[in-house]
Amino acid sequence: PRSDCIAAEQLCRSDSTCNATYRTLENCALAKTRFLPLDHDSRVRCLNAELDLGNSSLLHCKCHRRMKRQEHCLRVFWTVHSSMTDGYFNLETSPYENPANEDHWKTDYNKLAALLSGKDCSQLAGDATNPCLKATHVCNLSKKCVRLRTDYASICTKGAGSEDTCDRRKCHRGLRNFFEKVPEDFTKRILFCPCQDELCGERRRKTIVPDCSFRYNIKPNCLWLLDSCLEDHICKSRLADFQQNCQPAEMSPDGCSQHNHAACLQAYMGMIGTPMTPNYVSNSSVEVSLWCTCESSGNQKEKCDQILSMFESNKCL
């Protein structure tokens, strides 16, 4: 059975043969993160070490999206699978287990009512025309939702309107905290609320506090965004999850090769709060994009366009 990677690492370290193999892989992964070129013999040694793990629980371990010590777990996963990130950005497999299924993602109104029982719901009555405002009011009725939403909003709006720039790293961490720790019944309503007018659309777009978390003064090249992402265990993992669960398929009814639209939306939410944070591009549509451009990409233009199209013209998403 699949174990989480922290438990699998502990098990491996208690066995001298497995521990020696794992140490070799740690050195291989370290060389990669420091962009040290590996000679032919080193590459063969790294690949053999990965093969030597055979049926070890390390080779088949996964991580949970909301687990404690998530970064440690992901570091173990990428140590064992470092050969997967050679060259191109297709990361092949997600380090996360059990994507959401459609039933899990249908809002459980009974559960929501239980969470809000005894709260003053009168303020929700007049929100029918603005579902995003209603979703915010529902969040305000949950202590955890309102606390973590207020936390990231205050961090991400510091420096707004002055010459100071916001602390993007802290802003991203605050956003990740919100989307990881608040029940999805609240977060998905705020992020995916259906809008009929621009006022509602603006509220939805500003959920991600675009001036801090999404925009740079000058649009960077998408390949630069990708490089920033691949250097970060969390971003690389979320991107692998997104690529696996949002892989488009022309003939599929929901446009997804995995036939699980809910898992794609969950993976999309996972990208928020990373260097590759996506957002709605306007107040009047549901189009999303990364804040980057493929101009001046030289002979890597095709690769750059592919990164951008994962968000801009992805039938599954």
Side-chain angles (χ1 to χ4, degrees):
R2 274 185 178 154
S3 61
D4 80 63
C5 292
I6 296 175
E9 183 193 36
Q10 288 170 344
L11 202 64
C12 178
R13 290 209 185 275
S14 66
D15 176 274
S16 57
T17 308
C18 185
N19 190 35
T21 305
Y22 185 61
R23 285 190 172 198
T24 302
L25 287 171
E26 281 185 309
N27 291 331
C28 299
L30 191 63
K32 279 201 158 190
T33 54
R34 292 179 178 172
F35 298 104
L36 300 172
L38 293 173
D39 58 34
H40 175 72
D41 289 348
S42 298
R43 281 201 300 274
V44 169
R45 192 166 62 249
C46 293
L47 207 53
N48 284 341
E50 203 170 305
L51 293 171
D52 284 345
L53 287 177
N55 287 323
S56 154
S57 57
L58 260 180
L59 202 59
H60 305 286
C61 71
K62 292 278 186 174
C63 301
H64 308 281
R65 285 173 183 80
R66 295 179 173 229
M67 73 188 293
K68 287 179 180 175
R69 300 175 70 201
Q70 183 182 160
E71 286 188 60
H72 182 145
C73 185
L74 295 171
R75 188 172 72 245
V76 175
F77 179 89
W78 291 115
T79 296
V80 177
H81 297 281
S82 63
S83 65
M84 280 166 40
T85 54
D86 267 341
Y88 198 46
F89 72 97
N90 281 328
L91 301 171
E92 293 181 26
T93 186
S94 169
Y96 293 109
E97 63 172 25
N98 299 335
N101 57 46
E102 297 294 343
D103 290 336
H104 162 75
W105 256 56
K106 286 174 182 161
T107 299
D108 184 343
Y109 287 101
N110 291 333
K111 190 172 108 186
L112 208 56
L115 283 168
L116 305 177
S117 61
K119 306 284 177 71
D120 176 18
C121 297
S122 59
Q123 59 177 303
L124 303 181
D127 296 337
T129 56
N130 191 335
C132 291
L133 186 61
K134 183 173 183 175
T136 305
H137 283 161
V138 169
C139 173
N140 290 343
L141 296 172
S142 157
K143 280 182 183 175
K144 189 178 217 177
C145 188
V146 75
R147 176 172 59 81
L148 290 173
R149 186 171 168 274
T150 304
D151 282 354
Y152 85 72
S154 62
I155 296 164
C156 298
T157 50
K158 272 183 186 166
S162 68
E163 290 181 7
D164 299 329
T165 53
C166 72
D167 189 329
R168 184 172 278 113
R169 191 182 287 269
K170 276 189 179 176
C171 173
H172 281 167
R173 196 184 305 130
L175 276 164
R176 286 202 310 273
N177 260 344
F178 176 73
F179 284 104
E180 281 174 23
K181 292 180 180 175
V182 175
E184 283 171 352
D185 271 336
F186 293 104
T187 55
K188 71 190 179 196
R189 288 160 73 93
I190 285 175
L191 190 64
F192 301 123
C193 42
C195 288
Q196 302 296 321
D197 59 53
E198 290 201 12
L199 199 67
C200 176
E202 184 177 15
R203 177 171 278 276
R204 181 174 60 191
R205 188 176 58 83
K206 288 190 172 174
T207 292
I208 301 172
V209 199
D211 287 338
C212 181
S213 68
F214 177 66
R215 287 197 191 103
Y216 293 77
N217 290 334
I218 298 167
K219 266 193 182 182
N221 187 283
C222 299
L223 295 167
W224 178 84
L225 270 194
L226 177 67
D227 287 342
S228 304
C229 184
L230 295 181
E231 287 170 16
D232 176 283
H233 283 307
I234 285 186
C235 188
K236 180 164 66 172
S237 302
R238 303 295 172 82
L239 181 61
D241 196 48
F242 180 78
Q243 284 187 300
Q244 178 178 296
N245 291 304
C246 294
Q247 198 65 246
E250 285 301 317
M251 303 306 288
S252 174
D254 61 2
C256 304
S257 63
Q258 299 288 322
H259 310 297
N260 190 343
H261 190 236
C264 175
L265 292 181
Q266 187 179 52
Y268 173 84
M269 282 172 70
M271 295 300 300
I272 296 165
T274 71
M276 288 181 76
T277 295
N279 199 5
Y280 296 98
V281 294
S282 76
N283 300 340
S284 53
S285 77
V286 289
E287 285 178 49
V288 296
S289 181
L290 298 172
W291 182 259
C292 63
T293 176
C294 284
E295 288 174 20
S296 310
S297 297
N299 61 0
Q300 290 190 298
K301 175 82 165 61
E302 191 179 337
K303 177 181 172 181
C304 185
D305 287 339
Q306 207 163 350
I307 297 163
L308 204 48
S309 68
M310 285 196 304
F311 295 87
E312 284 190 346
S313 51
N314 185 330
K315 193 182 173 190
C316 176
L317 180 63

